[in-house]
Amino acid sequence: MASKQNVLTPLKPTWLSAERSALCIVDVQHDFASPKGLLGQYGVDMSRLAPAISNINSLVEDAHRIGLPVVFIGLQTSPETDSEAWSEWMARQGKDSTSEQAICRRGTQGEAFYQCMPTPSDKVVLKTRYSAFWQTDLNSWLKTQGIDTLVVTGITTECCVESTVRDAFHYDYHVFVVSDACAAYEDELHQASLRSMALSFALLTDTQSVHAIWGTQ
């Protein structure tokens, strides 16, 4: 039922032009996406992420071909940036906050991008919280590039993708979420998050629709 409610918006080419848009890729990193990463070691099934990562790579190819900026966003944690509130929140649920908070630790393989790699020309944003805008230079960099439109992809849909989308909308960006280039570990969460974003913060599209526009530029 939820998936039927997530209606895609017909796109106009001017909305996603290379002159005004950036492709954003959120948290496609080893600890979040690789079976050998931290969550994979905990037994999280990573197989449902594969189609989204494949779609992201195809969008990156399009963006590079037409000269559209690509932003790789990744989590990078350290003991110095750990959140006391997050630790207490985890502890109150009976979870081990020390091991849970060690995800994407600075200097480890866990923080490295996975199967979708930035080139020297791409912008890389490292964050310490869910949103790519929280205490980073992302907003100021986008403004200096004349970008007012974000095409957002990545994992997980309901967490760091949605947090980034919400903040982007608050900064007055036009936000498009590529529904099949995002993923969560549970489809119900993915669909519910898409529905939430579509109601209040973003327009939903899919990889094929974006290809159709960028293929003509």
Side-chain angles (χ1 to χ4, degrees):
M1 178 66 70
S3 61
K4 293 181 180 179
Q5 295 175 341
N6 294 326
V7 178
L8 305 182
T9 300
L11 301 180
K12 296 182 179 180
T14 55
W15 292 353
L16 302 184
S17 67
E19 292 75 21
R20 67 184 303 182
S21 306
L23 174 64
C24 297
I25 302 158
V26 180
D27 289 5
V28 184
Q29 297 168 271
H30 272 261
D31 272 351
F32 291 128
S34 170
K36 297 181 179 180
L38 187 61
L39 294 186
Q41 294 174 32
Y42 287 161
V44 175
D45 180 10
M46 300 296 176
S47 62
R48 67 173 59 249
L49 307 181
I53 294 174
S54 177
N55 286 334
I56 291 170
N57 277 316
S58 68
L59 292 171
V60 170
E61 291 180 5
D62 273 0
H64 285 160
R65 179 179 51 78
I66 65 175
L68 187 144
V70 178
V71 183
F72 279 81
I73 297 156
L75 181 68
Q76 184 189 72
T77 69
S78 69
E80 294 76 25
T81 63
D82 285 348
S83 166
E84 292 183 7
W86 195 91
S87 294
E88 184 67 15
W89 171 63
M90 295 296 291
R92 288 176 179 180
Q93 299 176 70
K95 298 180 180 179
D96 182 356
S97 60
T98 300
S99 61
E100 295 277 355
Q101 196 149 224
I103 197 165
C104 295
R105 272 305 199 226
R106 183 175 61 201
T108 70
Q109 180 66 15
E111 72 161 331
F113 293 109
Y114 177 73
Q115 292 188 345
C116 189
M117 310 301 294
T119 69
S121 64
D122 296 330
K123 170 71 173 175
V124 175
V125 174
L126 299 178
K127 59 187 176 66
T128 60
R129 297 294 187 270
Y130 296 148
S131 171
F133 287 92
W134 195 82
Q135 294 191 356
T136 72
D137 69 343
L138 179 57
N139 183 50
S140 60
W141 182 84
L142 292 169
K143 298 300 185 186
T144 62
Q145 302 300 309
I147 293 167
D148 69 359
T149 300
L150 303 183
V151 179
V152 183
T153 67
I155 55 179
T156 60
T157 314
E158 84 289 351
C159 189
C160 294
V161 171
E162 184 170 335
S163 295
T164 297
V165 166
R166 287 171 178 261
D167 280 355
F169 189 75
H170 294 154
Y171 278 115
D172 287 334
Y173 290 96
H174 308 293
V175 187
F176 296 83
V177 175
V178 188
S179 60
D180 59 352
C182 298
Y185 304 120
E186 299 176 26
D187 188 61
E188 292 82 359
L189 289 176
H190 173 70
Q191 296 296 341
S193 178
L194 291 176
R195 178 63 175 161
S196 176
M197 290 187 282
L199 283 172
S200 303
F201 306 104
L203 297 178
L204 300 185
T205 186
D206 61 6
T207 302
Q208 183 177 1
S209 298
V210 178
H211 280 324
I213 288 179
W214 288 351
T216 64
Q217 296 184 13

